[in-house]
Amino acid sequence: MDKLLIEGGTRLNGTVQISGAKNSAVALIPATILADSPVTIDQLPDISDVRTLCKLLREIGGTVSFKDHTFVVDPRKMVDMPLPNGPVKRLRASYYLMGAMLGRFHKAVIGLPGGCNLGPRPIDQHIKGFEALGAKVTNERGAIYLRAESLHGARIYLDVVSVGATINIMLAAVKAEGQTIIENAAKEPEIIDVATLLTSMGAKIKGAGTDVIRVEGVQELHGCRHMIIPDRIEAGTFMIIGAAGADHLLIDNVIPQHVESLTAKLREMGVDVQVGEDQILVSKSGRLLKNADVKTLVYPGFPTDLQQPLTSLMTQAAGTSIITDTIYGARFKHIDELRRMGANVKVEGRSAILSGPSDLEGAKVRATDLRAGASLVIAGLMAKGITEIVDVEHIDRGYDHIVEKLRSIGAAIWREPLLDDEARERLKEQE
Ligand code: EPU
């Protein structure tokens, strides 16, 4: 068990390479279960969520290799093994095993997903979709049991725009008999990426990236080679890091359109952002940042996953800023930690209200979830003195080599093992 230490205040400079998208990767890997010959995916991020999913595919009989960011799976010998416990509970995206295994085997048993604790995260829309396709779904002792005699196309209207439900229903529908129409579908780039992989495998999908997706079921899906899209949330995190303290930070391998809402917001705050074809250059402004209000929305609105990182930057803006999370109204566990570091911020309902600028000071803080961790790294880079972040496994779930990437641009950041009493405290909390 490690902790992260950051000595704040160093000026950053250089180029950072963005990895493949975590939230695509965690859906693309389960999607390969549906193929009847080997699939290769290039540029997968080297993060613990990907390694956990590789383990799960091996557990159900897949032959998997993951080296130098290339993932190769032979899914032919996979079986419909129940996965009620174990690694499946470590990440929320294991819910994609439900759609993929249901699509291939017409049955699945998956332990209820874990992942970041952002308040209630129901999966009722996923289940409604599976049922519409002909599955019987029950919840027995904390695991979801799915069974279907056969799967048939259906018209499904999502009551809530959900990334997970949209992808999961696509996975279950690609081999169902007849046409499935998903209405009020989510439009995130990760959905298009999954549809692209499935199409290369032989699926018939139209409309991914719009709010109506049409899937025409096919009998067989075959192997293929696919290149994942870059991670827009990692790119956004580094854009914020650039705005917080870089002379010039070049973010390489990014699709600028995917981060437009952040680009606009940073410019509104007075940050210099220059956009190229697949690169973005961000420089810290010599002037005080302007305050701004932000509301998270479904894509192409401002992403909830950048709400926590942006909050750290907003502590440096003059006046009052309000950041409202309409997707996860309780995604504010980073706020107490930022206050420990000297931020003047409070939570009211679904909003964080900041009054700045605040002088941040290094402190001992906790990465309560993945993006809270990112927000604390950003705060640590700006703070005076040393910041110690514990529970870094949350950060390692989603950021590929974050320490190495930050060191390469001049940050003073390193890992240290937890002291004995810190490790004991951690173990006690986990019991
Ligand atoms: N919702 C329901 N019922 C459902 C599904 C969702 O009420 O059946 C609600 C959720 O509670 C939430 C909203 O709908 O209020 C949107 O949730 P969505 O299903 O879109 O989220 P998700 O698919 O579970 C993914 C990402 C999250 C990201 C959200 C929103 C993955 C594995 N996770 O979650 O990423 O915050 O979309 O964009 O793709 C992260 O990367 O840190 C992360 C948490």
Side-chain angles (χ1 to χ4, degrees):
M1 283 192 275
D2 284 344
K3 57 186 173 184
L4 269 187
L5 287 99
I6 304 171
E7 186 171 357
T10 51
R11 258 338 245 194
L12 309 176
N13 219 331
T15 302
V16 66
Q17 204 66 33
I18 298 306
S19 299
K22 164 194 166 260
N23 287 345
S24 266
V26 297
L28 295 173
I29 297 171
T32 63
I33 294 173
L34 291 157
D36 61 13
S37 49
V39 180
T40 300
I41 306 176
D42 292 308
Q43 293 304 327
L44 276 193
D46 188 2
I47 52 176
S48 65
D49 271 8
V50 163
R51 286 191 292 271
T52 305
L53 281 167
C54 289
K55 198 171 187 177
L56 286 163
L57 291 203
R58 285 191 193 107
E59 223 168 279
I60 63 169
T63 307
V64 179
S65 86
F66 179 46
K67 254 190 263 150
D68 299 330
H69 295 94
T70 298
F71 162 89
V72 185
V73 58
D74 183 344
R76 279 175 289 199
K77 292 196 181 133
M78 286 181 180
V79 293
D80 56 357
M81 174 136 83
L83 298 168
N85 289 305
V88 81
K89 297 212 162 175
R90 262 189 242 147
L91 78 163
R92 181 159 178 82
S94 48
Y95 55 37
Y96 291 131
L97 295 168
M98 296 180 195
M101 290 180 81
L102 183 65
R104 171 156 171 189
F105 304 115
H106 291 182
K107 63 178 178 183
V109 177
I110 308 292
L112 269 177
C116 287
N117 178 7
L118 315 176
R121 295 180 76 180
I123 55 165
D124 56 304
Q125 299 302 306
H126 305 229
I127 290 169
K128 168 175 146 171
F130 297 145
E131 285 175 341
L133 295 170
K136 195 168 172 294
V137 185
T138 52
N139 178 348
E140 295 167 32
R141 294 181 301 280
I144 302 286
Y145 284 67
L146 304 112
R147 306 172 190 90
E149 292 282 313
S150 63
L151 293 170
H152 50 77
R155 179 183 279 266
I156 300 155
Y157 181 91
L158 297 180
D159 302 318
V160 187
V161 181
S162 158
V163 177
T166 303
I167 292 178
N168 234 343
I169 295 169
M170 277 197 317
L171 294 174
V174 280
K175 290 183 78 180
E177 214 172 286
Q179 192 186 52
T180 297
I181 302 176
I182 310 171
E183 292 174 315
N184 201 27
K187 297 184 281 220
E188 270 67 0
E190 293 74 20
I191 292 161
I192 303 179
D193 203 20
V194 176
T196 305
L197 170 76
L198 291 169
T199 304
S200 303
M201 283 162 57
K204 292 196 175 140
I205 303 173
K206 282 194 185 142
T210 76
D211 54 12
V212 181
I213 299 179
R214 289 186 164 77
V215 181
E216 197 65 55
V218 295
Q219 285 197 335
E220 278 179 2
L221 295 174
H222 48 75
C224 66
R225 186 159 199 146
H226 177 78
M227 165 84 93
I228 192 172
I229 57 168
D231 195 313
R232 63 195 167 97
I233 306 302
E234 188 197 17
T237 303
F238 276 101
M239 287 168 70
I240 295 168
I241 288 171
D247 294 325
H248 299 291
L249 183 58
L250 186 67
I251 290 128
D252 192 27
N253 187 35
V254 53
I255 299 175
Q257 195 196 350
H258 289 174
V259 289
E260 253 172 10
S261 58
L262 175 66
T263 302
K265 198 46 74 179
L266 289 178
R267 285 182 174 152
E268 198 181 309
M269 293 173 73
V271 179
D272 181 20
V273 184
Q274 291 175 42
V275 176
E277 213 168 284
D278 60 356
Q279 295 182 322
I280 294 182
L281 183 70
V282 182
S283 314
K284 181 182 159 96
S285 158
R287 292 182 305 266
L288 201 54
L289 291 175
K290 287 188 219 128
N291 59 336
D293 293 343
V294 181
K295 203 179 247 185
T296 68
L297 292 168
V298 294
Y299 188 83
F302 191 92
T304 168
D305 296 342
L306 288 175
Q307 176 263 110
Q308 292 158 298
L310 188 69
T311 306
S312 297
L313 182 68
M314 283 184 149
T315 63
Q316 302 309 301
T320 304
S321 298
I322 302 179
I323 186 156
T324 305
D325 201 318
T326 71
I327 311 289
Y328 294 114
R331 199 174 197 174
F332 288 115
K333 295 211 172 65
H334 58 308
I335 297 295
D336 279 344
E337 310 301 306
L338 289 176
R339 284 162 67 102
R340 251 183 255 284
M341 297 178 70
N344 189 347
V345 51
K346 61 179 179 182
V347 177
E348 269 182 26
R350 291 175 158 255
S351 301
I353 302 167
L354 296 107
S355 177
S358 305
D359 287 329
L360 298 182
E361 296 222 7
K364 257 190 152 177
V365 288
R366 179 176 295 271
T368 51
D369 55 86
L370 169 60
R371 309 299 171 188
S375 89
L376 297 175
V377 169
I378 296 166
L381 291 170
M382 297 188 296
K384 210 163 112 205
I386 293 191
T387 298
E388 252 186 75
I389 307 176
V390 296
D391 290 3
V392 288
E393 61 278 6
H394 287 295
I395 303 177
D396 294 334
R397 280 191 32 229
Y399 286 94
D400 186 350
H401 289 90
I402 189 165
V403 171
E404 291 76 6
K405 288 188 187 185
L406 282 169
R407 286 172 74 93
S408 78
I409 55 170
I413 177 168
W414 65 100
R415 284 176 196 267
E416 275 182 19
L418 289 185
L419 301 173
D420 284 350
D421 56 332
E422 289 169 336
R424 267 195 300 276
E425 203 181 305
R426 279 291 322 271
L427 288 172
K428 222 190 289 157
E429 276 160 17
Q430 282 171 359
E431 274 166 22

